[in-house]
Amino acid sequence: MRNKGISVTGLVWGFAFFLLPLHSAHGDVSYSFPEEMKRGSVIGNIAKDLRLEARILSARKARIDTEGNQKRYCDINLTTGDLIVAERIDREGLCGKKASCVLNQELVLENPLELHRISLHVQDINDNAPQFKKEVIKIEIAELSVKGARFLLDEARDADIGQNTVQSYTLERNNHFILNVNTKSGGRKNADLVLNKELDREQQQEFKLLLTSVDGGSPQRSGTVVIHVTVLDANDNAPVFSQAVYKASLPENSPVDTLVITVSASDLDEGPNGEVMYDFDHVSDENNIVFSLDHKTGELRVIGSLDYEDESSYEMQISAKDGLGLASSSTLIIEITDINDNAPVIYLQSLTNPIPENASPGTEVGIINVQDRDSENNRQVRCSIQQNLPFKLVPSIKNYYSLVTTGELDRELVSDYNITITATDEGSPPLSSSKSVQLSVADVNDNPPVFEEQSYKAHVTENNKPGVSVCTVTARDPDWRQNGTVIYSILPSEVNGVPVSSFLSVNGDTGVIHAVRSFDYEQFRSFKVHVVARDNGSPPLSSNVTVSMFITDVNDNSPQILYPAPEGKSFMTELVPKAAHGGSLVSKVIAVDADSGQNAWLSYHIFKSTDTGLFTIGLHSGEIRTQRDISESDSMKQNLIVSVKDNGQPSLSATCTIYLVISDNLAEVPELKDVSYDESNSKLTSYLIIALVSVSTFFITFIIVILAVRFCRRRKPRLLFDGAVAIPSAYLPPNYAEVDGAGTLRSTYNYDAYLTTGSRTSDFKFVTSYNDNTLPADQTLRKIPTDFADDLEDSDVSPKVGLYR
């Protein structure tokens, strides 16, 4: 076994002598240092040697790279700039017996890309002791050998080089043999066993001598072997090779059992003394598993796999021995030729992922390193990517490429790119390899929310419940995550001087617009709000849309009768001449409805009347006319209950009572307290009452009639009712609009004659007739309001306006 111990003195001397930076002519740097340094040991300060500031190493992603599959034996301290040992460095394992052991490393800096070659010269230390191939060297010497005969001994092998390899041999003191140390080319030393005194087989048949090999290291190391000498009969000729050096060339893809070369040696002796046996004199374990040598024929064949990239040449010592132990040696050098058996290897050294979509063309995305272990043209590589991508490869230093953008990126169109990098060498046939790089595009807030519609219309029925949903606005933002998250809000404004927030609210997440309160169509019918959609980007982007709100009318207002006025305010009675013909206008009911549309289309109906066949009312005009001529049998007191209905669903209504008195003059009119009576009383009951009082009042009535006739002759006949009823403005609601054909009252549609009981006396006002069917009258009836009240107590029909739903 090799002794791996290293003295402290040797290490100190090694540091003092070898840790000196050697700058190359091209600005690269070289270091020499001893092998077997501990991990973390400082080789040198590369930042100082390259005149770089240590503080920029981290920012520029400084790192140590190697070619191929070599280990990274050193690393860089990004804080101090020191080049330190990263892996155990065994010079013998790396370079074998080569005089110079150089490890090529590369210092890579980014932004911008900068490459420096680092040559690490590994110096040998005496960490290996000399070793012999065998534990016992067997030599057979003829007893007739003359003094001075030489016998070749196995060379001691020391993995170290230079002064640390074998420097001398010593032989245990004896009476017959001495050593002769020879120096070969390259400084190698071997020893010959020299016969110093003739042998006498009869006195001593064998000798066992201790051979010691010593190297020149400090401290020295040594190895020993036993020489077993057997004294034989005379054999005075050793085998002689046909060539001192054999050379052969072999392609690396040679199959097993390929014949490499045949070596040949001749021996002038005859018989057993002339039989030559071939063997490897001294070969490493690696060579033993690659080649085999036929001991009899001297044929060298391949028994293992060859790889030019691992070992480009082999050098071996071959010995030829005759049957009695005489031997000679020759050198065999085998050159391995390269073939294109290695595809390029692609290394992704650096990648910016994801890349923002607003990156400008020419932005460096990543750094690619391509390596091919073959040699010459076989290692010349071309790289390419797909043509339909907004990226390209730009050749950089040595075998490095920069992946840069060539156009604008848009994450909303393409969010991910699968870039396939293909590397092809120039061998014959060419080999290629590929590597896929998945590159994502990072979102930036470059898209504002967009509403699905240019404007929205919403309808809500009045008297709605607060909180009801009226419509939904939707905006889309193609950006990602918070940049695409939409928040809705209502732009502050006023509706009739009231903040819009008191009418509507919007759900910030869903865009659902809710009514904050109940709406009244009669107050306002429509308004507009502006809804803003804002994303959560930085800075945020927004857009707005107009939402038109329309209030839909419902039938929530009953008709309001303006004429005749409610009895609580006044008491009205119409006087109808006895000579009225069929179709004569005697009165008119005027009503309005605060609703609109068909909800305000009013129709008039006679709900009850004293004589059902005497009067009729216009369905839509409300005009009360006689259906036939008035006869003597008709009751003087006529009561009509008129119902006014709207056209809503369900229909709402109101009622009023019209009091009519059939008389040509005031003398014929009885006490007005009898005007209002219970319609359930039959005409027969009235006649009985009249008959009972007729006897006592006949005389008074006769006088009154005479006076009335005279009075009427003196006056010009006048219209009883000309259809123009003046309505005080107090009866009109302030918010009624003038709508033609809708059943509501226009402000200019008034009547200027009316009869009321609102004062101590009530007058019938007569105006000139505008209708030929209207009959004249020339009397004015007066009665105090208390009399009307007494008469109404006897009637089942309420004079108040009724409201039905």
Side-chain angles (χ1 to χ4, degrees):
M1 297 297 290
R2 292 184 298 175
N3 188 355
K4 294 290 183 178
I6 304 175
S7 68
V8 175
T9 305
L11 286 178
V12 171
W13 179 85
F15 276 101
F17 182 78
F18 292 115
L19 291 182
L20 298 175
L22 303 176
H23 296 278
S24 69
H26 301 285
D28 298 331
V29 64
S30 298
Y31 294 94
S32 293
F33 60 97
E35 63 173 327
E36 302 294 345
M37 291 179 66
K38 293 182 178 180
R39 292 183 182 178
S41 300
V42 177
I43 297 174
N45 192 294
I46 194 169
K48 179 179 178 182
D49 296 334
L50 292 177
R51 295 180 176 84
L52 298 173
E53 294 183 11
R55 60 182 180 84
I56 70 170
L57 296 178
S58 177
R60 294 186 63 182
K61 300 181 180 178
R63 63 181 180 274
I64 301 299
D65 281 354
T66 63
E67 292 187 358
N69 294 326
Q70 293 182 7
K71 288 186 178 179
R72 185 165 52 88
Y73 290 98
C74 62
D75 205 344
I76 185 170
N77 188 321
L78 298 179
T79 303
T80 63
D82 290 334
L83 189 67
I84 60 176
V85 176
E87 292 287 342
R88 172 180 175 265
I89 301 176
D90 182 9
R91 193 205 65 80
E92 290 75 25
L94 294 174
C95 303
K97 300 295 287 186
K98 293 180 180 179
S100 176
C101 185
V102 179
L103 299 179
N104 292 318
Q105 312 276 290
E106 292 177 343
L107 173 64
V108 180
L109 301 173
E110 297 184 10
N111 297 320
L113 181 63
E114 186 176 345
L115 187 66
H116 294 276
R117 290 189 298 272
I118 303 173
S119 297
L120 302 179
H121 296 265
V122 182
Q123 302 299 328
D124 183 50
I125 63 172
N126 192 26
D127 59 338
N128 292 281
Q131 289 182 332
F132 289 92
K133 179 182 178 181
K134 301 177 180 178
E135 294 182 358
V136 177
I137 299 175
K138 293 182 179 182
I139 300 177
E140 296 176 343
I141 302 176
E143 62 177 343
L144 297 180
S145 298
V146 298
K147 182 179 179 180
R150 296 173 180 267
F151 304 93
L152 180 65
L153 300 177
D154 289 346
E155 181 182 351
R157 180 178 180 272
D158 193 330
D160 297 324
I161 63 172
Q163 190 67 23
N164 294 327
T165 191
V166 176
Q167 297 297 318
S168 63
Y169 293 87
T170 59
L171 184 64
E172 180 184 9
R173 295 187 65 179
N174 62 88
N175 296 325
H176 293 274
F177 300 95
I178 62 174
L179 279 181
N180 180 45
V181 179
N182 303 312
T183 302
K184 295 184 177 182
S185 60
R188 290 167 48 199
K189 297 180 183 298
N190 67 340
D192 293 336
L193 186 65
V194 180
L195 184 60
N196 191 40
K197 182 181 179 181
E198 292 77 6
L199 298 174
D200 186 356
R201 179 178 176 275
E202 289 66 32
Q203 291 183 0
Q204 188 173 352
Q205 295 183 357
E206 62 180 18
F207 298 87
K208 289 186 178 180
L209 307 174
L210 184 63
L211 177 65
T212 302
S213 174
V214 181
D215 62 21
S218 179
Q220 287 185 330
R221 297 179 182 273
S222 63
T224 61
V225 66
V226 174
I227 303 174
H228 186 191
V229 179
T230 301
V231 181
L232 301 175
D233 288 337
N235 180 20
D236 56 351
N237 290 288
V240 178
F241 281 98
S242 60
Q243 298 179 27
V245 176
Y246 290 90
K247 292 184 178 180
S249 179
L250 191 64
E252 63 176 323
N253 63 341
S254 298
V256 175
D257 204 36
T258 297
L259 178 62
V260 181
I261 196 173
T262 301
V263 297
S264 175
S266 61
D267 194 320
L268 298 177
D269 295 325
E270 293 181 355
N273 294 332
E275 293 180 359
V276 179
M277 300 294 291
Y278 302 96
D279 199 358
F280 291 113
D281 182 25
H282 185 79
V283 65
S284 64
D285 294 337
E286 292 81 0
N287 294 343
N288 268 331
I289 63 175
V290 177
F291 301 101
S292 67
L293 181 63
D294 191 290
H295 299 294
K296 293 182 178 181
T297 64
E299 292 181 348
L300 186 70
R301 294 183 179 273
V302 177
I303 62 171
S305 61
L306 301 175
D307 193 346
Y308 172 86
E309 288 70 40
D310 289 340
E311 195 71 40
S312 60
S313 65
Y314 295 88
E315 182 175 348
M316 296 169 284
Q317 296 296 320
I318 299 176
S319 65
K321 291 184 180 181
D322 59 22
L324 296 179
L326 294 180
S328 62
S329 62
S330 180
T331 301
L332 175 60
I333 299 175
I334 302 174
E335 297 290 340
I336 307 300
T337 58
D338 181 46
I339 64 170
N340 192 28
D341 61 342
N342 289 282
V345 180
I346 302 172
Y347 297 97
L348 183 62
Q349 300 289 1
S350 177
L351 182 66
T352 302
N353 192 17
I355 179 173
E357 62 177 322
N358 60 350
S360 59
T363 300
E364 186 178 81
V365 177
I367 297 175
I368 309 299
N369 177 244
V370 183
Q371 298 182 10
D372 194 315
R373 297 181 62 201
D374 295 320
S375 63
E376 298 180 353
N377 288 341
N378 294 334
R379 70 178 302 169
Q380 301 300 318
V381 180
R382 300 185 307 272
C383 282
S384 63
I385 61 174
Q386 307 101 299
Q387 297 296 321
N388 58 343
L389 297 178
F391 301 94
K392 68 177 181 179
L393 284 176
V394 178
S396 186
I397 303 172
K398 199 178 178 181
N399 51 352
Y400 283 87
Y401 294 83
S402 295
L403 181 64
V404 299
T405 60
T406 60
E408 300 289 342
L409 304 178
D410 191 344
R411 190 205 66 84
E412 287 70 45
L413 295 178
V414 181
S415 61
D416 294 280
Y417 290 94
N418 189 9
I419 304 173
T420 301
I421 302 171
T422 303
T424 306
D425 62 26
E426 295 184 359
S428 180
L431 298 178
S432 64
S433 62
S434 62
K435 186 179 184 66
S436 294
V437 177
Q438 193 73 24
L439 185 63
S440 299
V441 181
D443 184 52
V444 297
N445 193 26
D446 57 347
N447 290 282
V450 178
F451 284 94
E452 292 182 347
E453 299 182 18
Q454 294 183 352
S455 62
Y456 290 84
K457 292 182 180 180
H459 295 80
V460 59
T461 305
E462 67 171 327
N463 303 326
N464 58 285
K465 292 183 179 180
V468 68
S469 172
V470 296
C471 75
T472 300
V473 296
T474 304
R476 307 294 183 185
D477 194 321
D479 291 324
W480 194 46
R481 289 188 176 175
Q482 66 178 15
N483 293 332
T485 301
V486 180
I487 299 176
Y488 302 92
S489 62
I490 294 180
L491 194 67
S493 61
E494 292 186 352
V495 178
N496 295 337
V498 180
V500 72
S501 58
S502 64
F503 294 95
L504 298 174
S505 67
V506 63
N507 187 307
D509 297 326
T510 64
V512 177
I513 298 177
H514 299 273
V516 174
R517 67 179 187 180
S518 178
F519 295 104
D520 189 352
Y521 176 84
E522 286 70 42
Q523 290 185 356
F524 55 88
R525 301 182 179 183
S526 66
F527 60 91
K528 293 182 179 181
V529 296
H530 298 283
V531 178
V532 178
R534 186 188 73 253
D535 58 31
N536 268 338
S538 179
L541 301 178
S542 64
S543 61
N544 54 40
V545 69
T546 300
V547 180
S548 300
M549 296 295 303
F550 297 94
I551 314 302
T552 304
D553 181 48
V554 298
N555 192 28
D556 58 346
N557 290 282
S558 300
Q560 182 176 353
I561 298 175
L562 304 180
Y563 183 85
E567 292 186 21
K569 298 180 180 178
S570 61
F571 188 83
M572 302 181 183
T573 303
E574 304 288 349
L575 185 65
V576 181
K578 291 181 178 180
H581 297 290
S584 299
L585 177 65
V586 296
S587 184
K588 182 178 179 68
V589 177
I590 302 172
V592 294
D593 195 312
D595 295 320
S596 65
Q598 67 177 9
N599 294 330
W601 296 349
L602 302 182
S603 60
Y604 300 84
H605 309 272
I606 296 179
F607 183 67
K608 283 186 180 182
S609 63
T610 303
D611 190 344
T612 57
L614 181 58
F615 298 101
T616 183
I617 189 168
L619 180 64
H620 298 296
S621 65
E623 294 179 345
I624 299 175
R625 297 180 182 272
T626 57
Q627 293 191 75
R628 56 177 174 80
D629 295 342
I630 295 177
S631 63
E632 291 295 334
S633 62
D634 292 326
S635 172
M636 182 180 296
K637 303 173 186 177
Q638 294 288 333
N639 296 340
L640 302 179
I641 299 179
V642 177
S643 172
V644 183
K645 297 182 179 180
D646 59 27
N647 199 37
Q649 293 295 331
S651 176
L652 301 180
S653 63
T655 59
C656 65
T657 303
I658 304 296
Y659 301 102
L660 301 177
V661 176
I662 300 175
S663 177
D664 288 333
N665 52 65
L666 295 177
E668 297 177 353
V669 179
E671 293 294 333
L672 285 181
K673 66 181 179 179
D674 296 330
V675 172
S676 178
Y677 69 100
D678 187 355
E679 293 183 2
S680 62
N681 295 335
S682 65
K683 290 184 179 181
L684 179 60
T685 304
S686 299
Y687 291 150
L688 291 176
I689 296 174
I690 294 173
L692 291 174
V693 298
S694 60
V695 177
S696 58
T697 59
F698 176 78
F699 181 75
I700 297 174
T701 302
F702 180 77
I703 296 175
I704 292 175
V705 170
I706 293 175
L707 294 176
V709 171
R710 291 181 180 179
F711 181 77
C712 289
R713 289 177 180 177
R714 295 178 182 175
R715 298 190 59 180
K716 191 174 180 178
R718 303 172 64 94
L719 277 176
L720 173 66
F721 186 81
D722 62 359
V725 181
I727 302 174
S729 60
Y731 288 127
L732 291 174
N735 58 345
Y736 287 157
E738 300 179 10
V739 181
D740 293 334
T744 57
L745 178 66
R746 297 184 57 178
S747 59
T748 57
Y749 185 36
N750 298 323
Y751 294 83
D752 60 1
Y754 55 91
L755 178 66
T756 78
T757 58
S759 60
R760 179 63 180 172
T761 61
S762 298
D763 299 335
F764 280 95
K765 180 180 179 181
F766 302 99
V767 296
T768 305
S769 173
Y770 298 101
N771 193 318
D772 293 339
N773 295 326
T774 303
L775 298 181
D778 56 358
Q779 290 293 339
T780 299
L781 178 63
R782 299 177 182 272
K783 188 174 176 75
I784 60 175
T786 54
D787 295 333
F788 283 105
D790 295 338
D791 292 339
L792 291 176
E793 292 177 356
D794 298 329
S795 176
D796 293 336
V797 181
S798 173
K800 297 182 180 180
V801 178
L803 181 63
Y804 298 90
R805 292 182 181 269

